Amino acid sequence: MPILVTTLDRLREHGPLGPVWFRFGHRTWQALTDALDNPDDVRGFRRRAAQRDQLRQQKRKQEEEQREREIREAREHWVAQQAAAEAARQPDPVCEKCERPMESSRFEADPLEDAAPPADGAHCAGCASSWPNPPAASAARSAAW
């Protein structure tokens, strides 16, 4: 139960509806309706709970935005790394004649590679073995003459 007090001087100065009432436990002079109101009741609890909920939601939203930012930065970093690795990767050499890879796949066995003359760096084993005078052998012969 609230206990209110006032003085006749304050009543004469401000009237009964002015800030003339002092409620024990409060720090200021208040109007009658404010002095009788209890800010620590259910309404105050609900107001403080709503403020806490709002702060939690803001914090959760900030954390979610931070997580999304970190994921986006990590994805961009990975894409940049992949692009740099792709740019740094040397293309596989291809045959000048048939434009197939110089070496067969490591999963396929190419019988021509075993019988082919030494690679000259420009032709695959199939093209080098199909020529009557392989370019590497003819180049070696012309250098010897």
Side-chain angles (χ1 to χ4, degrees):
M1 173 182 298
I3 299 174
L4 306 175
V5 294
T6 189
T7 63
L8 288 176
D9 293 336
R10 289 190 75 77
L11 279 171
R12 278 189 217 126
E13 184 180 343
H14 299 286
L17 298 177
V20 296
W21 300 99
F22 184 81
R23 179 175 173 171
F24 287 104
H26 290 206
R27 296 183 178 153
T28 61
W29 292 89
Q30 300 170 323
L32 183 61
T33 55
D34 294 336
L36 292 174
D37 190 25
N38 186 4
D40 295 329
D41 64 355
V42 173
R43 288 174 295 156
F45 174 77
R46 288 182 182 152
R47 186 178 59 249
R48 290 187 304 274
Q51 289 173 345
R52 283 191 303 267
D53 291 343
Q54 185 178 12
L55 289 174
R56 279 189 209 116
Q57 288 175 352
Q58 288 174 353
K59 184 177 179 183
R60 193 174 306 129
K61 183 178 178 182
Q62 289 173 349
E63 289 172 352
E64 184 177 320
E65 289 172 354
Q66 176 68 22
R67 263 192 313 274
E68 289 174 359
R69 190 177 317 113
E70 289 172 355
I71 290 171
R72 187 175 51 252
E73 289 172 358
R75 187 175 296 132
E76 290 170 358
H77 180 70
W78 183 81
V79 167
Q81 280 182 333
Q82 293 299 320
E86 184 67 26
R89 189 175 70 88
Q90 296 292 329
D92 292 336
V94 293
C95 177
E96 290 179 1
K97 183 177 179 186
C98 68
E99 296 183 0
R100 289 186 13 208
M102 295 289 270
E103 297 178 6
S104 62
S105 169
R106 61 182 172 191
F107 301 109
E108 301 173 2
D110 188 359
L112 296 177
E113 279 187 23
D114 295 335
D120 62 353
H123 301 93
C124 66
C127 291
S129 63
S130 67
W131 292 353
N133 294 324
S138 63
R141 277 191 223 128
S142 64
W145 289 104

